[in-house]
Structure formats: structure tokens, C-alpha cells
Amino acid sequence: MTLEELYLEDTTDMAIRIDEIVSGSLTSSMVDDVFFILKKCGSRALATHSIHCACAVLGQLNDLMANKFKAAVVAELAGGPGKLLAAAPALPGTADTPG
């Protein structure tokens, strides 16, 4: 396993493990963190100007998205709308007031 593959695997695992819902954001921290990691790794691979390096790393990025990241997102969504509704901010004028 190359150093870049190790970095990609470890940082993605960490982003999935420390996932949290950020108030006021439309995505969880996992989505932002994983896409930041993918962008950095892809940019580094393209900066080498080596087609073999770029293809190898982009293949790893594709594998990570298709397997590990997809599984993590599916697991998050399996919690259903209850998790999303609990994290959503209250709409103005819909406070729980006795009427």
C-alpha cells in the first residue's frame, strides 16, 4: 500500500468516525471532510503530471466513494427522518406553545 493510499484510508476512516451534525449546515461534517480529503488527494495526484500516478489515485478515490463512503452515508440515512428532524432548527412561528 502506498503512502497516499494509507493517508486516504486513514483520514477517511477518521472523518467517518468523528461525524457530527453541524447546526446551520445542510450536510454533516463527514460529507465535508471526505470531499476535502478526496480533493486534496486528487489534486496531489494530478500535480505529479504522471498519468500512471493519477490513474492509480483516481481509481482509489472511486473505490472509496463506491464502497466505504457510500456505506457510511447509507448507514447514516438508515436512522430515518427522525435524526434529521431532531437536528433541524425550529422554523420561526412553530414553537411549541399551548394554543
Side-chain angles (χ1 to χ4, degrees), residues 1-67:
M1 178 178 275
T2 65
L3 187 58
E4 191 69 18
E5 290 174 58
L6 181 64
Y7 171 78
L8 181 62
E9 290 285 327
D10 286 350
T11 54
T12 302
D13 287 340
M14 184 188 319
I16 292 170
R17 196 173 50 251
I18 64 171
D19 183 31
E20 61 184 25
I21 296 175
V22 180
S23 64
S25 177
L26 298 176
T27 61
S28 70
S29 65
M30 174 183 62
V31 174
D32 288 338
D33 293 344
V34 168
F35 277 98
F36 176 79
I37 294 163
L38 295 177
K39 182 180 174 188
K40 291 298 265 187
C41 289
S43 295
R44 265 196 304 268
L46 293 174
T48 65
H49 300 289
S50 166
I51 190 72
H52 299 292
C53 177
C55 286
V57 171
L58 292 176
Q60 288 291 322
L61 297 179
N62 181 52
D63 182 54
L64 183 124
M65 289 293 292
N67 297 315

Side-chain angles (χ1 to χ4, degrees), residues 63-95:
D63 182 54
L64 183 124
M65 289 293 292
N67 297 315
K68 187 177 289 187
F69 183 68
K70 179 183 172 187
V73 169
V74 167
E76 278 293 314
L77 294 177
K83 281 175 79 174
L84 294 174
L85 291 175
L91 294 174
T94 60

